[in-house]
Amino acid sequence: MKISIVTPSFNQAEFLEQTIQSVLDQHYEPLEYIVVDGGSTDGSVDIIRRYEGRLDYWVSEKDRGQAHAINKGLEKATGEIVSWLNSDDLYLPDTLNAVSDYFRKDDAALIHGKTILFGDGIKERVKGAERRDLEVRYLSGIPFPQPSSFFRRSVLLEHGFLDETLHYGMDYDLVARVALNYHLLLVENVFSKYRLHSQSKSMAQSRAFADDWAKVFSRVLRSLDFTGDLIENMRELDLYVEGGDRYQVTKTFTQADIRQSFLYFLESHISFDYVGLDLKTAGKLASFIKEFDADFYQARALGKVRWRSRYLSRPLIKYVRGLRW
């Protein structure tokens, strides 16, 4: 099976060569590797040129952001399996062989595994999706590490590539579209290393992620015909994003499924708010969940967040985080 990998990049020469090497060192055939640079001025282009003989396509020109850069690569891709690997992340050896084997054996539209979180001064740890409630968690956020996920290109051709209006939630939006219509497969393999650093979007822009995820979950809710009460809850919490856009839905979901997805969405939002030190909102959402579903509140240990948001100051929380890193 031909696999196409797209690497979007912009001014990340510090990490780019390692990323490129991690793809090319897979020694997988047939592999199509595409690098889309946003017009970097930090030496990235010199690095790309060193490998251009082993790349199927590359370009360096101004783009409209990460989602646009990835889409430019996906439009060039011809593989049966596609994914993107950001220019600060890495594939582990033999990842693509394992991915190809899984797709041959399973009809999944998307396969995802685990990643190793790493970075300067950060203790490495493995992260993957929880198996519990996974089918509904796909609708509430992206519950797995993006660098360890791979799609059938035929599904993207049918449902579209990344939404370029979303700069922080475009992967969640794509996963939601797939999950509303297809089978997704969780595997135990550790496929990638996800680098954490001060410039990475996941470290620096929690508020922006929260806003984009609210847009996507609002779309999920209005794509189903029995979610009026949850939409009203979202409005009351100032989280619902009005609009007329809906997703195609061919799978069957119950009211209980979507109610559970709503709770997981709120939990994710609390996490973004807490990381972003919006303690008032984090506490407000935790209090809502306590009244809405006490069992979920207890099971997910949200009382800790509610207590910290109420009684700890922003400077103290920042200080404690500094000690952990």
Side-chain angles (χ1 to χ4, degrees):
M1 301 182 79
K2 186 176 184 180
I3 299 179
S4 298
I5 302 298
V6 177
T7 289
S9 180
F10 181 66
N11 284 341
Q12 289 205 316
E14 180 182 1
F15 311 121
L16 177 60
E17 188 161 23
Q18 282 184 294
T19 299
I20 292 174
Q21 289 174 342
S22 80
V23 177
L24 297 177
D25 288 351
Q26 293 291 307
H27 302 296
Y28 178 86
E29 291 293 341
L31 169 66
E32 181 177 59
Y33 190 26
I34 297 165
V35 177
V36 181
D37 181 79
S40 295
T41 58
D42 65 344
S44 293
V45 174
D46 293 334
I47 293 171
I48 296 169
R49 284 200 174 107
R50 288 206 291 269
Y51 294 92
E52 64 181 344
R54 300 175 67 187
L55 302 177
D56 293 271
Y57 175 82
W58 74 274
V59 69
S60 181
E61 61 188 17
K62 188 175 182 180
D63 54 49
R64 298 189 296 273
Q66 185 183 19
H68 180 222
I70 295 169
N71 280 348
K72 286 166 63 176
L74 292 175
E75 288 166 1
K76 294 285 185 181
T78 61
E80 296 170 74
I81 305 165
V82 297
S83 189
W84 65 92
L85 183 70
N86 292 328
S87 53
D88 48 2
D89 298 329
L90 309 170
Y91 282 143
L92 293 183
D94 209 36
T95 284
L96 298 187
N97 280 305
V99 167
S100 178
D101 287 343
Y102 280 119
F103 273 107
R104 284 191 176 95
K105 296 172 184 176
D106 197 285
D107 66 353
L110 185 161
I111 290 174
H112 60 94
K114 299 178 181 179
T115 194
I116 297 172
L117 302 178
F118 79 110
D120 290 342
I122 296 173
K123 184 178 179 180
E124 290 191 2
R125 60 190 186 276
V126 176
K127 181 178 180 181
E130 296 181 46
R131 287 192 176 273
R132 181 178 179 180
D133 296 328
L134 189 53
E135 288 299 313
V136 298
R137 286 168 64 87
Y138 290 135
L139 305 183
S140 65
I142 179 165
F144 52 81
Q146 179 278 315
S148 290
S149 62
F150 300 84
F151 298 79
R152 290 192 189 273
R153 188 168 69 96
S154 59
V155 172
L156 303 191
L157 292 176
E158 181 180 353
H159 290 274
F161 296 153
L162 298 178
D163 181 345
E164 295 176 15
T165 69
L166 301 170
H167 298 292
Y168 299 88
M170 66 278 195
D171 46 4
Y172 165 30
D173 169 76
L174 181 58
V175 169
R177 281 184 271 148
V178 174
L180 287 165
N181 296 280
Y182 296 96
H183 162 56
L184 284 65
L185 178 66
L186 163 64
V187 299
E188 294 301 317
N189 303 62
V190 181
F191 288 139
S192 66
K193 296 188 73 173
Y194 187 107
R195 191 189 305 267
L196 300 174
H197 56 93
S198 59
Q199 287 78 43
S200 61
K201 287 166 66 175
S202 58
M203 292 282 285
Q205 302 289 341
S206 60
R207 181 69 257 170
F209 275 95
D211 292 343
D212 267 11
W213 281 35
K215 291 178 185 177
V216 175
F217 191 67
S218 297
R219 292 175 182 172
V220 170
L221 290 182
R222 62 176 167 263
S223 299
L224 301 162
D225 59 7
F226 52 80
T227 57
D229 57 336
L230 297 180
I231 289 174
E232 286 307 311
N233 289 144
M234 289 275 286
R235 286 189 175 117
E236 291 168 7
L237 294 168
D238 295 321
L239 296 179
Y240 187 69
V241 180
E242 303 289 345
D245 47 345
R246 295 168 174 256
Y247 295 127
Q248 177 181 333
V249 182
T250 57
K251 288 171 64 175
T252 300
F253 297 93
T254 67
Q255 288 183 316
D257 291 335
I258 304 306
R259 185 180 189 277
Q260 198 71 6
S261 184
F262 171 61
L263 288 166
Y264 281 115
F265 164 76
L266 293 182
E267 181 187 33
S268 297
H269 209 289
I270 288 171
S271 178
F272 288 135
D273 291 329
Y274 188 75
V275 169
L277 294 175
D278 184 354
L279 304 182
K280 181 178 179 180
T281 301
K284 173 184 175 181
L285 296 181
S287 297
F288 173 85
I289 293 175
K290 183 180 181 182
E291 297 300 319
F292 188 83
D293 193 314
D295 291 339
F296 184 91
Y297 177 85
Q298 187 72 26
R300 306 300 291 181
L302 295 176
K304 293 180 181 179
V305 175
R306 183 168 176 262
W307 186 90
R308 291 171 184 169
S309 298
R310 179 173 293 183
Y311 297 110
L312 299 184
S313 66
R314 289 164 56 101
L316 179 58
I317 292 174
K318 290 179 69 173
Y319 174 73
V320 172
R321 289 178 186 172
L323 293 178
R324 287 177 182 173
W325 292 118

